[in-house]
Amino acid sequence: MQLTKAEEQVMQYLWTIGEGLVQDVRNCFPDPKPSRTTVSTIIRILETKGFIAHKANGRVFTYYPLIRKEDYSKHQLFGMLKNYFNNSFASMASFFAKESNMNLQEMEALLEDTKKELEKKPDK
C-alpha cells in the first residue's frame, strides 16, 4: 500500500521514536510544526490503513507502528523496481549510477560490498 508524503513522514517519526502520543509525533516535526489536529488526522488515517495501532491509557492513546520500516522500504523498493525498471535490478542500478555520477572506483566498491553481503547470505 502506498502512503502519501505526509503519512510517510509521520511513519518515519513513529519508527524513530518507537511509540508516542500525537504530541510526541508533532514534536518531531521541524518548525513551523503542523497543527495537532493535522497530525491526529494523519495518525487516524494510518491506523485505518493498518500501519499503526494504539494502546489506550484512559483517554490518552499511545500510537505505535505495526509495519516495520524495513518491510515498508522493501515493498517500496521492489514496487519501484517493477513499475519503473521492468523488474531489472541491473537497469535500476545503472540508472542510479548514472544519475549520481558514480565513478569507476565507487562502482567497484559497491560491487565488492554487494559480493560480501551475498556471501554472508545463506542459500535458500
Short mmCIF file of all heavy atoms in Angstrom, two decimals, residues 74-100:
data_model
loop_
_atom_site.label_atom_id
_atom_site.label_comp_id
_atom_site.label_asym_id
_atom_site.label_seq_id
_atom_site.Cartn_x
_atom_site.Cartn_y
_atom_site.Cartn_z
N LYS A 74 11.35 -2.26 1.78
CA LYS A 74 11.50 -3.33 0.79
C LYS A 74 10.33 -3.32 -0.19
O LYS A 74 10.53 -3.43 -1.40
CB LYS A 74 11.58 -4.69 1.50
CG LYS A 74 11.89 -5.82 0.53
CD LYS A 74 11.77 -7.23 1.08
CE LYS A 74 12.27 -7.49 2.43
NZ LYS A 74 12.17 -8.91 2.84
N HIS A 75 9.12 -3.16 0.32
CA HIS A 75 7.93 -3.12 -0.53
C HIS A 75 8.02 -1.96 -1.52
O HIS A 75 7.74 -2.12 -2.71
CB HIS A 75 6.68 -3.00 0.33
CG HIS A 75 5.42 -2.84 -0.45
ND1 HIS A 75 4.83 -3.89 -1.12
CD2 HIS A 75 4.67 -1.74 -0.69
CE1 HIS A 75 3.75 -3.44 -1.74
NE2 HIS A 75 3.63 -2.15 -1.49
N GLN A 76 8.43 -0.80 -1.04
CA GLN A 76 8.54 0.38 -1.90
C GLN A 76 9.62 0.18 -2.97
O GLN A 76 9.43 0.51 -4.13
CB GLN A 76 8.85 1.63 -1.07
CG GLN A 76 7.71 2.07 -0.19
CD GLN A 76 6.47 2.39 -1.00
OE1 GLN A 76 5.54 1.60 -1.08
NE2 GLN A 76 6.44 3.52 -1.61
N LEU A 77 10.76 -0.35 -2.56
CA LEU A 77 11.87 -0.55 -3.49
C LEU A 77 11.51 -1.55 -4.58
O LEU A 77 11.74 -1.29 -5.77
CB LEU A 77 13.12 -1.02 -2.74
CG LEU A 77 14.36 -1.20 -3.60
CD1 LEU A 77 14.76 0.11 -4.26
CD2 LEU A 77 15.50 -1.73 -2.75
N PHE A 78 10.90 -2.67 -4.19
CA PHE A 78 10.53 -3.65 -5.21
C PHE A 78 9.40 -3.15 -6.09
O PHE A 78 9.32 -3.51 -7.27
CB PHE A 78 10.20 -5.01 -4.56
CG PHE A 78 11.43 -5.78 -4.20
CD1 PHE A 78 11.83 -5.89 -2.88
CD2 PHE A 78 12.22 -6.36 -5.18
CE1 PHE A 78 12.99 -6.58 -2.54
CE2 PHE A 78 13.37 -7.06 -4.85
CZ PHE A 78 13.75 -7.17 -3.53
N GLY A 79 8.53 -2.31 -5.55
CA GLY A 79 7.49 -1.69 -6.37
C GLY A 79 8.10 -0.76 -7.41
O GLY A 79 7.69 -0.76 -8.58
N MET A 80 9.10 0.01 -7.00
CA MET A 80 9.78 0.90 -7.93
C MET A 80 10.53 0.08 -8.99
O MET A 80 10.49 0.41 -10.18
CB MET A 80 10.77 1.80 -7.18
CG MET A 80 11.43 2.84 -8.06
SD MET A 80 12.40 4.05 -7.15
CE MET A 80 13.62 3.03 -6.38
N LEU A 81 11.17 -1.00 -8.57
CA LEU A 81 11.88 -1.87 -9.50
C LEU A 81 10.92 -2.41 -10.55
O LEU A 81 11.21 -2.39 -11.76
CB LEU A 81 12.53 -3.02 -8.72
CG LEU A 81 13.38 -4.00 -9.50
CD1 LEU A 81 14.65 -3.32 -10.01
CD2 LEU A 81 13.77 -5.16 -8.59
N LYS A 82 9.75 -2.86 -10.12
CA LYS A 82 8.76 -3.42 -11.04
C LYS A 82 8.15 -2.34 -11.94
O LYS A 82 8.08 -2.52 -13.16
CB LYS A 82 7.64 -4.10 -10.23
CG LYS A 82 6.52 -4.65 -11.08
CD LYS A 82 5.42 -5.22 -10.22
CE LYS A 82 4.25 -5.64 -11.09
NZ LYS A 82 3.07 -5.93 -10.29
N ASN A 83 7.74 -1.23 -11.35
CA ASN A 83 6.99 -0.22 -12.09
C ASN A 83 7.85 0.67 -12.99
O ASN A 83 7.34 1.19 -13.98
CB ASN A 83 6.18 0.66 -11.13
CG ASN A 83 5.12 -0.11 -10.42
OD1 ASN A 83 4.54 -1.05 -10.96
ND2 ASN A 83 4.85 0.25 -9.17
N TYR A 84 9.10 0.87 -12.66
CA TYR A 84 9.93 1.80 -13.42
C TYR A 84 11.11 1.15 -14.15
O TYR A 84 11.68 1.77 -15.03
CB TYR A 84 10.46 2.91 -12.49
CG TYR A 84 9.35 3.76 -11.94
CD1 TYR A 84 8.86 3.54 -10.66
CD2 TYR A 84 8.77 4.77 -12.70
CE1 TYR A 84 7.83 4.30 -10.15
CE2 TYR A 84 7.74 5.55 -12.20
CZ TYR A 84 7.28 5.31 -10.92
OH TYR A 84 6.25 6.07 -10.42
N PHE A 85 11.48 -0.06 -13.74
CA PHE A 85 12.67 -0.68 -14.32
C PHE A 85 12.40 -2.09 -14.84
O PHE A 85 13.34 -2.87 -15.00
CB PHE A 85 13.82 -0.67 -13.31
CG PHE A 85 14.22 0.71 -12.88
CD1 PHE A 85 13.76 1.23 -11.68
CD2 PHE A 85 15.01 1.50 -13.69
CE1 PHE A 85 14.11 2.52 -11.28
CE2 PHE A 85 15.37 2.79 -13.30
CZ PHE A 85 14.92 3.30 -12.10
N ASN A 86 11.15 -2.42 -15.11
CA ASN A 86 10.77 -3.73 -15.67
C ASN A 86 11.37 -4.90 -14.89
O ASN A 86 11.84 -5.87 -15.47
CB ASN A 86 11.14 -3.83 -17.14
CG ASN A 86 10.39 -2.83 -17.98
OD1 ASN A 86 9.22 -2.57 -17.73
ND2 ASN A 86 11.05 -2.26 -18.97
N ASN A 87 11.39 -4.78 -13.58
CA ASN A 87 11.94 -5.82 -12.70
C ASN A 87 13.42 -6.11 -12.96
O ASN A 87 13.90 -7.20 -12.66
CB ASN A 87 11.13 -7.12 -12.78
CG ASN A 87 9.96 -7.12 -11.83
OD1 ASN A 87 9.96 -6.42 -10.83
ND2 ASN A 87 8.95 -7.90 -12.15
N SER A 88 14.13 -5.16 -13.52
CA SER A 88 15.54 -5.36 -13.81
C SER A 88 16.38 -4.56 -12.82
O SER A 88 16.47 -3.34 -12.89
CB SER A 88 15.86 -4.90 -15.24
OG SER A 88 17.26 -4.85 -15.43
N PHE A 89 17.01 -5.30 -11.88
CA PHE A 89 17.89 -4.63 -10.92
C PHE A 89 19.06 -3.97 -11.64
O PHE A 89 19.49 -2.89 -11.26
CB PHE A 89 18.39 -5.62 -9.86
CG PHE A 89 19.26 -4.94 -8.84
CD1 PHE A 89 18.70 -4.16 -7.86
CD2 PHE A 89 20.64 -5.06 -8.89
CE1 PHE A 89 19.49 -3.51 -6.92
CE2 PHE A 89 21.44 -4.42 -7.97
CZ PHE A 89 20.86 -3.64 -6.98
N ALA A 90 19.56 -4.61 -12.68
CA ALA A 90 20.69 -4.04 -13.44
C ALA A 90 20.29 -2.69 -14.03
O ALA A 90 21.08 -1.74 -14.00
CB ALA A 90 21.13 -5.01 -14.53
N SER A 91 19.08 -2.59 -14.57
CA SER A 91 18.62 -1.30 -15.13
C SER A 91 18.52 -0.24 -14.04
O SER A 91 18.90 0.91 -14.24
CB SER A 91 17.26 -1.47 -15.80
OG SER A 91 17.36 -2.27 -16.94
N MET A 92 17.99 -0.64 -12.88
CA MET A 92 17.86 0.32 -11.79
C MET A 92 19.23 0.77 -11.28
O MET A 92 19.47 1.95 -11.08
CB MET A 92 17.05 -0.28 -10.64
CG MET A 92 16.75 0.73 -9.55
SD MET A 92 15.64 0.10 -8.27
CE MET A 92 16.76 -0.91 -7.32
N ALA A 93 20.14 -0.18 -11.11
CA ALA A 93 21.48 0.16 -10.63
C ALA A 93 22.19 1.07 -11.62
O ALA A 93 22.84 2.05 -11.24
CB ALA A 93 22.29 -1.10 -10.38
N SER A 94 22.05 0.76 -12.90
CA SER A 94 22.67 1.58 -13.94
C SER A 94 22.10 2.99 -13.92
O SER A 94 22.85 3.98 -14.01
CB SER A 94 22.43 0.93 -15.31
OG SER A 94 22.92 1.74 -16.33
N PHE A 95 20.79 3.11 -13.78
CA PHE A 95 20.15 4.42 -13.72
C PHE A 95 20.70 5.25 -12.56
O PHE A 95 21.09 6.40 -12.74
CB PHE A 95 18.63 4.24 -13.56
CG PHE A 95 17.90 5.52 -13.28
CD1 PHE A 95 17.56 6.38 -14.32
CD2 PHE A 95 17.55 5.86 -11.99
CE1 PHE A 95 16.89 7.56 -14.07
CE2 PHE A 95 16.87 7.05 -11.73
CZ PHE A 95 16.55 7.89 -12.77
N PHE A 96 20.75 4.64 -11.36
CA PHE A 96 21.22 5.39 -10.20
C PHE A 96 22.71 5.69 -10.28
O PHE A 96 23.16 6.73 -9.82
CB PHE A 96 20.87 4.66 -8.90
CG PHE A 96 19.43 4.83 -8.53
CD1 PHE A 96 18.53 3.78 -8.64
CD2 PHE A 96 18.95 6.06 -8.09
CE1 PHE A 96 17.20 3.95 -8.32
CE2 PHE A 96 17.62 6.24 -7.76
CZ PHE A 96 16.73 5.18 -7.88
N ALA A 97 23.47 4.80 -10.87
CA ALA A 97 24.90 5.06 -11.05
C ALA A 97 25.11 6.27 -11.95
O ALA A 97 25.93 7.15 -11.66
CB ALA A 97 25.60 3.83 -11.63
N LYS A 98 24.35 6.33 -13.04
CA LYS A 98 24.46 7.47 -13.96
C LYS A 98 23.98 8.76 -13.30
O LYS A 98 24.63 9.80 -13.40
CB LYS A 98 23.65 7.21 -15.23
CG LYS A 98 24.23 6.17 -16.14
CD LYS A 98 23.29 5.93 -17.31
CE LYS A 98 23.61 4.63 -18.01
NZ LYS A 98 22.57 4.27 -18.99
N GLU A 99 22.81 8.68 -12.65
CA GLU A 99 22.21 9.88 -12.05
C GLU A 99 23.04 10.45 -10.90
O GLU A 99 23.00 11.64 -10.65
CB GLU A 99 20.78 9.59 -11.58
CG GLU A 99 19.80 9.40 -12.71
CD GLU A 99 19.66 10.62 -13.60
OE1 GLU A 99 19.48 11.74 -13.08
OE2 GLU A 99 19.74 10.45 -14.84
N SER A 100 23.75 9.59 -10.19
CA SER A 100 24.55 10.07 -9.07
C SER A 100 26.00 10.32 -9.46
O SER A 100 26.83 10.61 -8.61
CB SER A 100 24.48 9.08 -7.90
OG SER A 100 25.07 7.86 -8.28
#
